[in-house]
Amino acid sequence: MGLLLGVLAAISHMAVDIGGSYPAIVASLAMLIALLCWQPRQHKPGRGWVLLGLILVAVLAASQYTAASAAERAKIYLENDDYPAAASAYDDANKYGIGNPDWLTARGIVALAQAQLSHNKPQRQSYLDEALDYARRAEALDHYDGQHWQLESRVWLAQNQLQAATDAAIRALARDSNNHPEYAGDLAAAQWRQGRYDEALAVIDA
């Protein structure tokens, strides 16, 4: 077990040092397999299944690291307003990651930003549809995180679907009323645009 933990630490260290490149990960996995197989030649019941399980864990760890690296690249692209590159990086994160709803919502936020920047009506609608799809997928994975519902609310608001925006904002606020006053702001904005001024002011003052 000590040997296994040491090798797994080496995998993480090498992957970080070389920027998470595939050669580093592959070389590390090869080293892990070689060390696990280096034993005196004797029959050990279940040894093959143990080895297969350890290899699977290592592959999953490498995949998750690749996904996390992609998500970090996406943040850098967003800092430079490179939305297509950010979208592609988040696509990689969601492809290699294991059901991370935050990355789905982040990808939806990028799609919403692209919609707001687009002057082509069909393209804008396509981005909005993408954003809504990512929001709902994130909601399905984590029903209790308000940020997914906030994204849905903003997508509906961008389409002037004011009641749907209000309903989603209420769900976001119900899930995290104390830490995110911006949820209240989104709800008030949707209510204000519906002419529900007293309700909007009450939300802001609460």
Side-chain angles (χ1 to χ4, degrees):
M1 180 58 70
L3 176 62
L4 173 61
L5 292 176
V7 175
L8 288 177
I11 290 176
S12 300
H13 180 71
M14 290 180 65
V16 170
D17 283 351
I18 311 180
S21 63
Y22 284 107
I25 295 174
V26 171
S28 300
L29 290 175
M31 180 177 65
L32 171 62
I33 295 169
L35 287 172
L36 288 172
C37 292
W38 185 73
Q39 298 180 21
R41 292 184 176 277
Q42 56 183 341
H43 176 69
K44 291 187 177 181
R47 173 184 170 189
W49 288 108
V50 172
L51 177 59
L52 181 60
L54 291 173
I55 293 172
L56 179 59
V57 169
V59 170
L60 289 175
S63 178
Q64 193 67 7
Y65 179 84
T66 300
S69 297
E72 289 302 313
R73 290 199 308 273
K75 294 177 183 178
I76 295 172
Y77 291 136
L78 286 176
E79 290 175 358
N80 293 282
D81 296 327
D82 190 345
Y83 294 103
S88 178
Y90 274 127
D91 285 341
D92 287 342
N94 287 310
K95 177 181 178 181
Y96 294 108
I98 303 175
N100 189 323
D102 292 345
W103 292 342
L104 289 170
T105 291
R107 177 62 177 86
I109 291 172
V110 172
L112 178 58
Q114 289 176 301
Q116 293 169 334
L117 293 171
S118 177
H119 299 291
N120 181 286
K121 189 174 181 179
Q123 184 64 68
R124 181 176 185 274
Q125 187 59 50
S126 177
Y127 285 136
L128 289 172
D129 291 342
E130 279 187 12
L132 183 60
D133 178 65
Y134 283 114
R136 287 181 167 170
R137 287 166 59 188
E139 291 164 5
L141 288 175
D142 184 0
H143 193 71
Y144 300 102
D145 192 335
Q147 67 173 326
H148 313 318
W149 299 97
Q150 181 189 37
L151 172 59
E152 178 178 341
S153 177
R154 291 183 173 183
V155 172
W156 288 125
L157 196 64
Q159 299 178 85
N160 207 36
Q161 299 290 329
L162 301 180
Q163 188 56 54
T166 298
D167 293 342
I170 289 172
R171 293 188 181 97
L173 191 59
R175 283 157 177 77
D176 199 350
S177 59
N178 296 321
N179 297 327
H180 289 286
E182 62 189 48
Y183 295 172
D186 288 349
L187 174 57
Q191 292 172 327
W192 190 271
R193 286 173 58 175
Q194 293 178 79
R196 297 159 60 179
Y197 305 121
D198 291 342
E199 294 178 55
L201 291 174
V203 169
I204 294 299
D205 292 338

